[in-house]
Amino acid sequence: MIAMTDTLRAAVKSAGRLPFARLSVRDRQLRWSALHGDGDESAYQTALAVAAGGAWVRARLGAGGAFQVQRIADPADPDGWDSWETLLASGASGDVAIAAEGDWVRAFCIVSESGVWRVKVWTSSDGGGSWAGPATAAESSSAITSVASPAPDAVAWVAGGILRLSLWDGEAWSQVAAWSAGPVSADYGIACARRADVYAFLQAGLLATGAYLRAVSWGGGTWSEPRVVAPTGIPSDTLVPRWPSLAWIGDRYVAAYLDTFAGCLTYQTPTVRFSWDFDHWSYPCALHLNSDGPTRANVAAGDGKAFAAMEKSALEAPLGRALEGFAGILRAERTEAEGYGALRLLLHDNGELAAAPLLPYAEAALTLGYGTAAGLEGVETAPMYMADVQRARGESRPGVEYVVRARDGWGLLAEWQALTTEAWEGVSLGWMLGELLMRAAGLRLRTDDAPAWQMTLERFAVPRGGRGDAAVRQLLRHAGARARWDADGALYAFVAAAQPWGVDWAFDAEVRRARHGVASAGVSLARVAGLYPAMGQAQDARLSQAQGRTLGAAVADGYLTTAAQCAEAAAALVARGAARALRGTLTTAIVPGLQALDRVTVDDPALGLEAAARRVVSVRTVCDALRGV
């Protein structure tokens, strides 16, 4: 149940209630379009930052080891792209980096001097207009192979295969961290972003166990556990995604790197993924940026846009496009159930829709409510995701209208299929569920505090061609859990059998029509066998008595390793059986905060029910302005 105010709850049962429905559309997808150089091929390694006023500042590793910088006041102006200032005529190698905070900009390159490898740094205090330097930010007797900078006072670098971090304290540079647990035998680039005091890194490299693009963070003096961003093995076990870039854009981390979607290792497909928490990473999105070799595709943000750029070509994507509180809904039909959700809208074009982001995968959320003593009050439902949008004439009356169909997160999960068998080892059930949600559909997870989510999966695999929704349901079954989508778009997963009974939120709604009955689908005895000798059992004798027989379910689940886990899974099966033995349908005025899987009590004296405990299986909401419903 989504919380409702006291005045809104009172309006639900008021005889003079005046309902309303509003639509909000929010496009959180990064939809890229050409900004510059659609036909030009980039040849040199570059780095990108956005300075004050939206100006681009870039660094380049040019011909003959030259280190060059560039300021582009307006990246949409093609005249600014070809002028470079040389800071070092020769001697630079490997990689370059640049970072900006307002007008403070620093540019970094790698040089080797008399057998000592150094990261050199130049500083600008006017947004890249003029430069001072160089100074030395880091040095090593081992070869420095890559460099990245999240801010002008920080630089990450790799020497001897080890990722390191150096910081500027206002007077000097010093190394503060080294990830000794993660050395690579071949380094293919790093990226770094900073939020508060936590540094987030991507590292592409070859390890003894395989080829990986890994994510790791450092904060408070400790390193996190590394996570794999891009899986290995497509099309070869030696594939290493190369030259990553990383930025915090809007409300998420956005990473770009070079991948290949061909049958050979060309490394010329810039690819983008995003993450809400730097722990789980989304599906890939290939970008059309032309390159004459494996060079970094830089990501950055500024002026309400995201950018992806190589040396001679760039893309942009608008951020935060939305239509809020649209009132021209002629018809809306919304269905929310466990494992399924859909929305169909008929909208009148009052002039607002032409510029609205009515696009595939954009979020569509209804706000349902009433006029109350405090004014118009409503509750926004969980978002659904647009599947198709059609302009129509004569659907309900003269003029232009839009017909929109959307589906919930289960529909998004069903679209994803594993290109190859993907496997994980030694991860928790909760982490694995969050990983699948993100990788398949870019969605977040929220769970209750049941111990089942900490269960360790020795190995979990999604076979080639396996669908995302099937894999998520399999994981939920291991915990004996149920799930629904919350108002913020996250999947809320919980172990229903462990819940003490009680309504989720107090409200009263007039029941206009009702049906209540019993069914014969109730499992009253369940036995679950896990990894030998783990076994658990649950029984509902009252249900068995009522049916006159014991209906049993026997399940073998090799992911369960303890008797307690097996008992929880058995209890979930029996709880579902008890729920399925009771069937009914209620028709009421709209209850704005009601969700599938809410716990409610039903009083219906005419049919002999008093404080009957029930769980909502599905909610179908119909708003029809043309009929006044």
Side-chain angles (χ1 to χ4, degrees):
M1 174 69 71
I2 304 172
M4 297 186 292
T5 64
D6 292 340
T7 48
L8 184 55
R9 290 202 307 273
V12 172
K13 60 180 181 179
S14 170
R17 56 181 172 261
L18 295 174
F20 73 89
R22 299 287 187 270
L23 172 67
S24 293
V25 179
R26 304 179 185 104
D27 188 15
R28 301 184 191 276
Q29 300 294 315
L30 292 177
R31 303 181 191 272
W32 303 93
S33 59
L35 174 64
H36 175 79
D38 185 53
D40 295 332
E41 290 192 347
S42 303
Y44 296 113
Q45 185 78 291
T46 60
L48 167 67
V50 179
W56 282 22
V57 285
R58 301 206 296 166
R60 181 174 77 169
L61 182 60
F67 178 56
Q68 300 170 310
V69 292
Q70 178 186 69
R71 173 185 167 86
I72 306 176
D74 179 7
D77 181 1
D79 293 338
W81 282 73
D82 295 325
S83 177
W84 292 87
E85 177 184 352
T86 299
L87 299 181
L88 184 67
S90 63
S93 65
D95 200 3
V96 295
I98 196 166
E101 287 183 357
D103 284 325
W104 184 27
V105 185
R106 273 185 168 148
F108 304 83
C109 73
I110 301 169
V111 299
S112 176
E113 300 172 326
S114 302
V116 178
W117 291 81
R118 294 185 172 93
V119 176
K120 292 291 188 179
V121 55
W122 285 256
T123 301
S124 172
S125 58
D126 58 2
S130 59
W131 295 87
T136 297
E139 65 179 33
S140 173
S141 58
S142 300
I144 299 177
T145 50
S146 57
V147 64
S149 177
D153 60 351
V155 62
W157 47 290
V158 173
I162 296 176
L163 173 63
R164 308 164 192 267
L165 176 66
S166 294
L167 300 180
W168 170 258
D169 63 6
E171 296 182 356
W173 290 91
S174 60
Q175 179 179 317
V176 297
W179 188 30
S180 57
V184 294
S185 57
D187 175 30
Y188 294 107
I190 59 172
C192 184
R194 181 174 70 187
R195 293 197 67 216
D197 294 325
V198 176
Y199 293 82
F201 303 89
L202 296 179
Q203 183 178 34
L206 188 63
L207 290 83
T209 55
Y212 299 101
L213 176 63
R214 299 180 297 171
V216 68
S217 62
W218 181 83
T222 60
W223 292 90
S224 69
E225 288 294 320
R227 300 298 189 190
V228 175
V229 177
T232 187
I234 309 173
S236 163
D237 288 339
T238 59
L239 166 68
V240 185
R242 300 189 178 192
W243 297 119
S245 176
L246 180 67
W248 178 260
I249 297 179
D251 56 357
R252 71 195 79 180
Y253 289 99
V254 176
Y257 57 92
L258 296 185
D259 205 336
T260 177
F261 295 98
C264 58
L265 303 182
T266 58
Y267 296 109
Q268 291 186 346
T269 303
T271 303
V272 167
R273 294 178 188 258
F274 70 89
S275 173
W276 307 107
D277 57 6
F278 207 66
D279 196 19
H280 304 288
W281 289 86
S282 74
Y283 43 79
C285 174
L287 302 181
H288 179 64
L289 285 169
N290 290 327
S291 172
D292 195 26
T295 61
R296 179 181 287 112
N298 299 282
V299 288
D303 196 27
K305 297 178 181 179
F307 301 106
M310 286 181 158
E311 180 200 7
K312 293 184 178 181
S313 59
L315 305 174
E316 63 180 357
L319 301 175
R321 292 192 299 174
L323 171 67
E324 300 288 349
F326 178 73
I329 301 174
L330 300 179
R331 281 201 305 269
E333 182 175 332
R334 185 181 189 277
T335 301
E336 176 187 347
E338 186 176 17
Y340 171 80
L343 175 66
R344 188 182 188 278
L345 299 166
L346 178 62
L347 309 176
H348 172 61
D349 187 0
N350 60 2
E352 296 180 67
L353 297 181
L358 300 179
L359 297 166
Y361 303 108
E363 296 179 3
L366 287 180
T367 296
L368 304 173
Y370 294 96
T372 73
L376 289 179
E377 292 187 86
V379 170
E380 186 171 287
T381 60
M384 297 200 182
Y385 306 90
M386 293 189 181
D388 65 82
V389 180
Q390 300 173 357
R391 298 186 71 188
R393 286 189 298 110
E395 180 78 11
S396 63
R397 61 184 181 183
V400 176
E401 298 169 347
Y402 283 78
V403 178
V404 178
R405 293 179 177 86
R407 72 285 205 214
D408 67 356
W410 292 110
L412 295 187
L413 289 168
E415 290 185 348
W416 181 83
Q417 289 187 333
L419 293 175
T420 187
T421 297
E422 297 190 27
W424 297 261
E425 295 181 352
V427 298
S428 71
L429 175 59
W431 185 90
M432 189 68 252
L433 185 56
E435 178 74 0
L436 270 178
L437 282 170
M438 194 64 190
R439 182 163 294 191
L443 300 173
R444 286 171 276 195
L445 173 69
R446 182 180 300 112
T447 68
D448 63 1
D449 57 0
W453 305 116
Q454 304 307 317
M455 179 195 312
T456 298
L457 302 178
E458 297 300 327
R459 179 178 172 83
F460 182 81
V462 180
R464 178 184 300 175
R467 292 193 345 185
D469 59 334
V472 168
R473 287 189 175 97
Q474 180 183 353
L475 289 171
L476 291 172
R477 284 195 296 270
H478 294 324
R482 309 182 77 168
R484 70 175 179 210
W485 302 101
D486 272 350
D488 62 354
L491 182 70
Y492 174 56
F494 61 98
V495 179
Q499 287 181 314
W501 188 264
V503 296
D504 290 291
W505 196 268
F507 70 93
D508 291 312
E510 175 191 357
V511 177
R512 296 176 178 176
R513 292 191 299 274
R515 290 187 300 170
H516 304 290
V518 294
S520 62
V523 170
S524 54
L525 171 65
R527 288 175 177 159
V528 176
L531 193 66
Y532 183 81
M535 180 171 287
Q537 177 174 304
Q539 183 177 14
D540 187 336
R542 289 175 298 180
L543 178 60
S544 180
Q545 290 175 173
Q547 295 183 136
R549 64 174 62 190
T550 297
L551 295 177
V555 176
D557 188 339
Y559 287 93
L560 308 182
T561 58
T562 68
Q565 293 170 355
C566 294
E568 287 178 356
L573 291 171
V574 170
R576 279 177 174 262
R580 288 173 178 168
L582 300 170
R583 300 289 176 87
T585 303
L586 304 177
T587 301
T588 74
I590 288 175
V591 181
L594 190 64
Q595 294 176 278
L597 301 184
D598 276 344
R599 295 166 294 179
V600 298
T601 57
V602 179
D603 288 290
D604 196 339
L607 295 178
L609 293 180
E610 181 179 353
R614 298 290 186 267
R615 189 182 293 276
V616 177
V617 175
S618 64
V619 181
R620 179 173 177 265
T621 304
V622 178
C623 307
D624 194 333
L626 300 175
R627 296 173 53 204
V629 177

